Amino acid sequence: MDEQPGLSDQYRMASPWPIFVAFGIPIAELGILFDVFVVAVGGLLLFCGSLTGMIREAGYAKTAWRPLAVFAVLLFAIGGGLVFTDVNLVTRGYAIITAGALLAAAGIGGELFVPKREPV
């Protein structure tokens, strides 16, 4: 009798992305909360990049480039809300906009310069 029914060697048992999402959230929040620009940008890049990896791994996107661009637009909107309104959190908003700009550059660069692969 099989000890682990339903499991196969052809499928991975675990995904690496949830641990990076779990680290990205508090790192980004600490950077935004305490107004540490580099930590906020790094945490947001880790969080959004990990979510993009999860989306790609689950099969909701063919490549990772377009979800990165979507997250960039969301970060631009949130950062713009902090910078250009009366909330008065300008440097925190700039950190979020910077993370969005880096994600947009990665998404656009990947879409334009990474060659498309044919399915195997």
Side-chain angles (χ1 to χ4, degrees):
M1 188 162 169
D2 197 10
E3 291 179 16
Q4 295 179 343
L7 294 179
S8 173
D9 290 337
Q10 74 185 55
Y11 299 111
R12 282 202 333 235
M13 300 299 172
S15 173
W17 298 116
I19 191 73
F20 294 116
V21 170
F23 283 136
I25 292 171
I27 291 171
E29 287 296 321
L30 286 173
I32 292 169
L33 179 67
F34 293 115
D35 203 10
V36 181
F37 189 86
V38 175
V39 174
V41 171
L44 286 170
L45 291 176
L46 179 63
F47 176 67
C48 292
S50 300
L51 282 179
T52 300
M54 288 176 74
I55 290 169
R56 169 68 182 96
E57 186 177 275
Y60 292 118
K62 291 181 183 177
T63 64
W65 309 121
R66 290 187 182 168
L68 279 178
V70 169
F71 284 123
V73 169
L74 292 173
L75 289 179
F76 281 141
I78 294 168
L82 292 177
V83 170
F84 299 114
T85 60
D86 292 333
V87 178
N88 203 15
L89 298 173
V90 177
T91 56
R92 293 171 178 131
Y94 284 144
I96 296 171
I97 290 173
T98 302
L102 291 172
L103 288 175
I108 293 169
E111 191 69 33
L112 293 177
F113 298 116
V114 174
K116 306 279 190 261
R117 288 190 284 170
E118 294 295 322
V120 178

